[in-house]
Amino acid sequence: MSGDTSGDTLRVVVVDDHSVMRAGVVALLAADATIEIVGEAGDGLAAVELVERLEPDVALLDLRMPVLGGVAATARIVALRTRTRVLILTTYDTDAEIESAVEAGAIGYLLKDATREQLVDAIRSAARGQTVLAPRVAERLVARMRRPAPVVLTSREIQVLNAVADGLSNADIGARLVIAEATVKTHLLRIFAKLDVSDRTHAVVTAIETGLLPRGEGGDGNATRG
């Protein structure tokens, strides 16, 4: 449908707390005969009310706004269960803000340096239910997905690893923590698996390098006792 609207006019509301920016976006979109601006608002709460009353095809929302922010407004609009698709248009592209908007139900995330053609195409795609992401935003999401998940150790595993860093044997660790030596071995096996290591020394080194243990632990430097 990109470049061919088949005679359909898309109804759009534009929401941005900066009136000059909002007027600029409206002017850009008004130049396209296939798009009709049916409403404008300057905050998220007004956006929700507009969508509930007008049920536009697309709601173009800024992210940081007074009264109700773009993420919260998106969640409320999605909860209305209307046909309206939310498309975020913002200057912010941090991982946290992108993820928050997408999790709230936004179908797209564009940056304000988008051209008129990109903005119009994005609105058309959003109206069809297709996800739209600015190239820079897509790159950040892909990079984040490829990042390995952070290792999480339980408080007991941290205690065991601290004791290993102090150079204690399994028996000594059991005595310190008042647990059986066999339980210590079980904790160590789980720690090794989580850290992808095969011995005590590498477990301590890896834990320190990844911030699971503070540097300076294990004053005697002996993490090899069995």
Side-chain angles (χ1 to χ4, degrees):
M1 184 173 168
S2 181
D4 174 18
T5 59
S6 303
D8 294 334
T9 299
L10 297 177
R11 303 171 68 252
V12 176
V13 296
V14 178
V15 185
D16 195 307
D17 60 317
H18 296 290
S19 58
V20 174
M21 176 61 71
R22 188 170 71 246
V25 172
V26 169
L28 281 177
L29 297 178
D32 192 291
T34 65
I35 292 178
E36 178 187 3
I37 306 299
V38 296
E40 299 179 41
D43 64 73
L45 185 59
V48 176
E49 293 169 351
L50 268 182
V51 169
E52 188 170 20
R53 179 164 52 88
L54 301 175
E55 292 195 27
D57 297 294
V58 175
L60 198 60
L61 267 62
D62 188 16
L63 203 57
R64 298 185 183 179
M65 298 183 290
V67 186
L68 190 68
V71 171
T74 296
R76 292 198 189 183
I77 289 171
V78 171
L80 292 175
R81 298 189 180 279
T82 65
R83 65 177 183 177
T84 303
R85 310 284 188 173
V86 177
L87 186 57
I88 299 295
L89 180 64
T90 183
T91 57
Y92 305 101
D93 64 347
T94 67
D95 289 351
E97 285 169 315
I98 294 168
E99 289 183 7
S100 295
V102 172
E103 288 173 359
I107 198 165
Y109 198 108
L110 292 182
L111 301 178
K112 287 182 178 177
D113 59 2
T115 65
R116 185 181 72 85
E117 290 74 17
Q118 290 171 334
L119 187 53
V120 169
D121 284 345
I123 289 172
R124 290 171 179 163
S125 295
R128 292 197 300 269
Q130 298 175 344
T131 300
V132 183
L133 297 173
R136 197 157 80 238
V137 170
E139 288 171 5
R140 291 183 72 97
L141 284 177
V142 170
R144 186 171 180 82
M145 289 174 64
R146 288 176 176 168
R147 241 177 262 159
V151 174
V152 178
L153 299 181
T154 66
S155 58
R156 179 63 86 186
E157 288 167 348
I158 291 290
Q159 291 173 338
V160 169
L161 203 50
N162 271 321
V164 171
D166 287 341
L168 301 187
S169 67
N170 288 352
D172 291 338
I173 294 172
R176 175 191 280 189
L177 302 180
V178 196
I179 57 177
E181 186 174 348
T183 303
V184 173
K185 291 180 179 179
T186 299
H187 284 307
L188 284 173
L189 288 174
R190 289 176 180 164
I191 291 168
F192 292 171
K194 288 182 178 182
L195 298 180
D196 194 24
V197 298
S198 57
D199 60 69
R200 297 156 65 94
T201 299
H202 283 98
V204 172
V205 170
T206 300
I208 291 173
E209 289 177 344
T210 56
L212 293 169
L213 285 184
R215 293 185 182 278
E217 290 289 347
D220 63 6
N222 187 350
T224 62
R225 299 179 192 172

